[in-house]
Every structure is written in structure tokens, then in C-alpha cells.
Amino acid sequence: MSLTTMISRTLRDILSPSVLGFILKVGLGSFLFWTVALWLGWAPFERFVASYLAMIPWIGSWQWFQEGGAFLAALATGYALVIVTISLLTSLFSEKLLLKLAAREYPEAKPVGSAAIHRSIYYTLKASVVFLLLFLLTLPLIFVPVFGQVWMLWLWSILLKEPTVYDVGSLFIDDGEELKRRSKKAGLIAMIAALFNYIPFLNIFAPLFAQILFLHYLLGDRAR
């Protein structure tokens, strides 16, 4: 199945009522939670982010950071926490929805397993920690024209790639080597889905879009 076909099918699926309902519940729930949490504790949160960045010599000593960069960094970190939470909740609760889509699109594909909750949490938290550390360590790079946007896209893809491969792959492939071989396009798929993160509100689509796109990639090839 070509990439354009996979994307068009995923866009069709993402606009179905059941998928939209799931995304809105997970996305709006995550957004409201962090909005309230950060509104109640913004001052200590901003100080925490500022103190962390101040420990990094090539960031903390910069004039832009001293004059207001801490606020922008805290705001960007808060936005990242919303994305991380959406990714975690999607990873935990999307299985039934994925199986429903698979049964409708690829009735010949039979599930062979289920994603273990503790492993889904592990892969998502692992990806989240790597993402947040790299994000904070390389924060100035995102302000470099063109390169910064590509760099940020790659960072967002880290958050999606490994959890997506596990959550979707474990449903239909029980051979680790086969899943590894079939996951060669997972990085590209994650970067395509991560494009949603550049658009406020539409960022809530990114994790599930990545899962559905990977689902079509795996099962589309099998059906063919």
C-alpha cells in the first residue's frame, strides 16, 4: 500500500464519529487537567523550569533567557506535558478502537494478542522522558529557522514512534523479529503524525493518527 493511500485512509478514519469522540475526550481532558494544574501552580512550575535550564551553561547564561526566556520555556514545557498526557492516555485506551477499525477495514486480519498495560506505560513514559530531556537541552535550536522546525518535528516523533509500534504491532504480530522488520517505516509515520503538533488543538489528533496510520501500514501490506 502506498504512503498516500495510507494517509488518505487514515484521514477518513480519523474523521469518523467514534474516533472523533475518543480524541475529544482524551484531548480535551488532558488540556483541561493541565490548564487547571498549571494555573494553580504556575509560579513554582516556572521557577522549576527556570532553575533547571539555568543549570545548563549554554542556556542559563544567555541574555534572552534572563529577560523572559524562562516564561517561554515554562509555557513550551506545559504544552509538551499536554502532548505527553494525550500520548499516554491514547496508548492505554485505544485498543478497542483500533480493533474495531481493523475488523471493518481488514476482516481477514485476526488479532493475535493484546498490549500489556504495564508495557504500554513503560514505552510511553520512556519516550516521554527522552523527549522532554532532549527538548529542554536543545531548546534554543527550535528558534533556528527551518532547522529548528525539522528538529522539533523529529523530537515529536520520538514521543510517538516506540509506543505506536508496540501498541499496534502487539495486536497483530506475535513475532518480535517480524515486527522489527515491519517497523522500518515507523519513524516516517511518527514524523507525519507529529505534524499535527504544530497546530494548536489539532495536536490532540497526533497519537491516534500515528496508531491508525501504522495500522494501515501493517495490515494493508498483509491484505495485499
Side-chain angles (χ1 to χ4, degrees), residues 132 148 159:
L132 287 172
L159 191 59

Side-chain angles (χ1 to χ4, degrees), residues 13-188:
D13 292 335
I14 211 79
L15 294 176
S16 64
S18 58
V19 175
L20 284 176
F22 178 89
I23 289 173
L24 288 175
K25 285 188 292 185
V26 168
L28 292 181
S30 301
F31 177 77
L32 290 175
F33 171 79
W34 282 111
T35 297
V36 173
L38 293 177
W39 180 71
L40 293 174
W42 178 257
F45 177 74
E46 184 178 358
R47 287 196 298 269
F48 169 77
V49 174
S51 62
Y52 177 82
L53 293 178
M55 292 188 296
I56 306 174
W58 71 300
I59 296 178
S61 59
W62 286 14
Q63 188 66 27
W64 75 270
F65 176 77
Q66 300 295 335
E67 294 178 352
F71 173 79
L72 293 176
L75 200 62
T77 304
Y79 181 77
L81 289 174
V82 173
I83 302 301
V84 167
T85 304
I86 293 173
S87 297
L88 178 60
L89 294 178
T90 299
S91 180
L92 291 177
F93 299 113
S94 64
E95 182 174 307
K96 289 183 179 180
L97 184 58
L98 292 173
L99 291 174
K100 180 180 178 180
L101 291 174
R104 185 184 69 192
E105 300 284 342
Y106 308 98
E108 73 285 350
K110 304 302 179 184
V112 297
S114 179
I117 292 179
H118 69 280
R119 293 194 68 184
S120 290
I121 294 175
Y122 165 75
Y123 284 122
T124 303
L125 291 181
K126 174 187 172 184
S128 300
V129 169
V130 172
F131 162 74
L132 287 172
L133 287 177
L134 287 175
F135 172 74
L136 292 173
L137 285 171
T138 62
L139 187 62
L141 293 179
I142 69 175
F143 298 102
V144 178
V146 182
F147 174 81
Q149 286 67 60
V150 175
W151 177 254
M152 194 66 223
L153 186 64
W154 180 75
L155 290 181
W156 287 126
S157 73
I158 292 176
L159 191 59
L160 297 173
K161 180 181 176 180
E162 196 170 14
T164 295
V165 169
Y166 175 73
D167 292 334
V168 181
S170 60
L171 298 177
F172 299 99
I173 299 177
D174 54 5
D175 186 333
E177 288 301 316
E178 181 185 355
L179 180 59
K180 183 178 179 180
R181 185 173 63 255
R182 299 287 296 281
S183 301
K184 291 181 179 179
K185 290 185 179 180
L188 176 60

